[in-house]
Amino acid sequence: MPQEPIHVVVTGAAGQIAYSLLYMIAKGDVFGPNQTLVLRLLDIPPMMGVLEGVVMELADCALPLLREVIPTADPVVAFKDVSAAFLVGAMPRKEGMERKDLLAANVKIFKVQGEALDKHAKKDVKVLVVGNPANTNALICSKYAPSIPKENFTAMTRLDQNRAQAQIAAKVGVPIENVSNVIIWGNHSSTQFPDASHAVVVVDNKSVPAVEAVKDGEWLRNVFVSTVQKRGAAVIAARKMSSAMSAAKAAADHMRDWFLGTPDNKFVSMGVLSDGSYGAPKDVVFSFPVNIKNGKWQIVQGLQNDDFAKGLLALTGKELEEERADAISIIGA
């Protein structure tokens, strides 16, 4: 039996990431095969013509779960009664652009969206920030939505996790689903720490630590880390545009796990409000390994990090503190 429709907002809905993401959401990849939906699509006024085309295409997909599509340039309409928010719309990073420039443009957008969520969304709305710099945008957004719990604001590092998983699977020569528990620590930026030291790989039907399966510590500390950190830039250099299809898939993965839960003994990476676990700074949105049950995430505790890992965690934590300071000075909060 199809359930009552839930309202889902996607911002930047006329853009590249949304073009892949909307189909995944509407066909049931995120909220399950029986969950009907109303899609609320937000973009800026000059994009309304393009958005009209996206709405036509969604109609032409003839998707049984999709009950209604509401295109709008008005945040009040976009955020009304939503249970899930994909905040994709942001000023995109262009080649050679510094993160600080990006932050200045985006902080204002996420302030407005936080205020709209606060007034119009359901109080248990799950918010995923995809638009960069995602961690700090999520923090700003939560500050302007004081009536919504802070833990309901997350930033996407699932794309980095998926990238890391793919690198290890290729290195060992196993299917992607044979690799689990790769962690992305910290910021969704080039300071992030992709960490395979707690990962598990299934080789010949046996679960072994990734370190054992890869058999190349030097590669794991250098090539692997640097490839994942710089993958976004490599895609921009090749495509002349930032990652879109892979970002959409990662956003769908993140929200699906948040709604439907993670399997026992498996964890995923999400940017969440830091409580200081693993020495991370508090009150920044920091990517941790999490387990999810009944729609609630919890940071996985008790993992042992060596000095190499601690050094990289400190570095990405420092960048997030600097971003927070810059963001707060921009909005004068």
Side-chain angles (χ1 to χ4, degrees):
M1 270 296 288
Q3 299 151 347
E4 269 299 289
I6 59 169
H7 289 245
V8 177
V9 62
V10 177
T11 72
Q16 284 267 340
I17 294 173
Y19 193 71
S20 292
L21 177 60
L22 290 167
Y23 176 64
M24 294 179 201
I25 296 170
K27 83 186 223 300
D29 286 359
V30 179
F31 303 103
N34 301 313
Q35 180 60 68
T36 54
L37 318 151
V38 172
L39 277 177
R40 294 176 175 269
L41 310 184
L42 179 68
D43 217 311
I44 54 175
M47 296 305 287
M48 286 300 112
V50 176
L51 195 54
E52 210 39 67
V54 174
V55 174
M56 287 182 212
E57 283 210 72
L58 282 165
D60 297 349
C61 285
L63 296 155
L65 296 173
L66 190 55
R67 291 289 179 261
E68 192 184 354
V69 181
I70 301 164
T72 182
D74 181 355
V76 174
V77 174
F79 290 101
K80 187 174 165 45
D81 294 333
V82 295
S83 295
F86 291 86
L87 305 188
V88 180
M91 170 78 74
R93 178 153 132 227
K94 299 190 170 69
E95 233 170 331
M97 196 177 183
E98 286 298 313
R99 281 184 83 75
K100 204 175 261 196
D101 309 328
L102 195 61
L103 198 59
N106 283 315
V107 155
K108 295 164 186 134
I109 296 171
F110 286 87
K111 177 182 179 211
V112 169
Q113 295 187 353
E115 290 166 343
L117 281 159
D118 197 53
K119 290 196 187 83
H120 307 291
K122 289 190 181 288
K123 293 305 169 201
D124 63 351
V125 61
K126 290 177 166 54
V127 181
L128 166 59
V129 176
V130 176
N132 280 318
N135 298 55
T136 300
N137 287 342
L139 183 73
I140 295 302
C141 199
S142 77
K143 285 194 185 302
Y144 285 94
S147 68
I148 296 167
K150 295 272 177 265
E151 63 267 22
N152 288 30
F153 289 84
T154 64
M156 186 170 88
T157 52
R158 184 59 169 266
L159 176 53
D160 309 299
Q161 180 196 309
N162 287 349
R163 286 166 169 165
Q165 214 176 323
Q167 291 299 317
I168 288 172
K171 178 79 173 166
V172 180
V174 295
I176 201 106
E177 68 271 19
N178 288 26
V179 181
S180 58
N181 294 1
V182 181
I183 300 168
I184 304 298
W185 299 99
N187 199 1
H188 172 63
S189 78
S190 59
T191 68
Q192 61 172 264
F193 171 37
D195 177 12
S197 62
H198 309 283
V200 176
V201 182
V202 176
V203 184
D204 299 329
N205 297 322
K206 276 208 264 328
S207 289
V208 296
V211 181
E212 243 174 73
V214 170
K215 299 187 183 69
D216 188 344
E218 190 61 22
W219 181 85
L220 281 171
R221 280 163 183 257
N222 294 300
V223 177
F224 166 70
V225 169
S226 144
T227 301
V228 178
Q229 286 175 336
K230 296 176 182 163
R231 188 68 160 190
V235 172
I236 291 174
R239 248 191 115 224
K240 308 296 176 251
M241 286 190 284
S242 57
S243 310
M245 178 172 43
S246 56
K249 161 68 164 55
D253 290 346
H254 176 120
M255 194 67 88
R256 181 195 64 235
D257 286 346
W258 198 0
F259 265 78
L260 306 179
T262 51
D264 292 338
N265 307 319
K266 297 256 171 96
F267 42 78
V268 294
S269 296
M270 280 167 67
V272 299
L273 195 71
S274 170
D275 61 357
S277 290
Y278 298 101
K282 288 187 179 177
D283 196 34
V284 295
V285 170
F286 193 96
S287 182
F288 291 102
V290 299
N291 298 119
I292 307 162
K293 291 262 182 302
N294 305 320
K296 302 268 185 223
W297 57 262
Q298 263 191 323
I299 296 171
V300 175
Q301 296 296 345
L303 301 173
Q304 298 305 310
N305 287 328
D306 62 13
D307 289 344
F308 172 76
K310 286 175 185 163
L312 290 178
L313 258 72
L315 204 68
T316 193
K318 182 170 176 284
E319 182 182 60
L320 281 166
E321 289 182 304
E322 287 164 4
E323 277 187 19
R324 176 182 62 194
D326 286 346
I328 286 169
S329 71
I330 290 161
I331 50 176

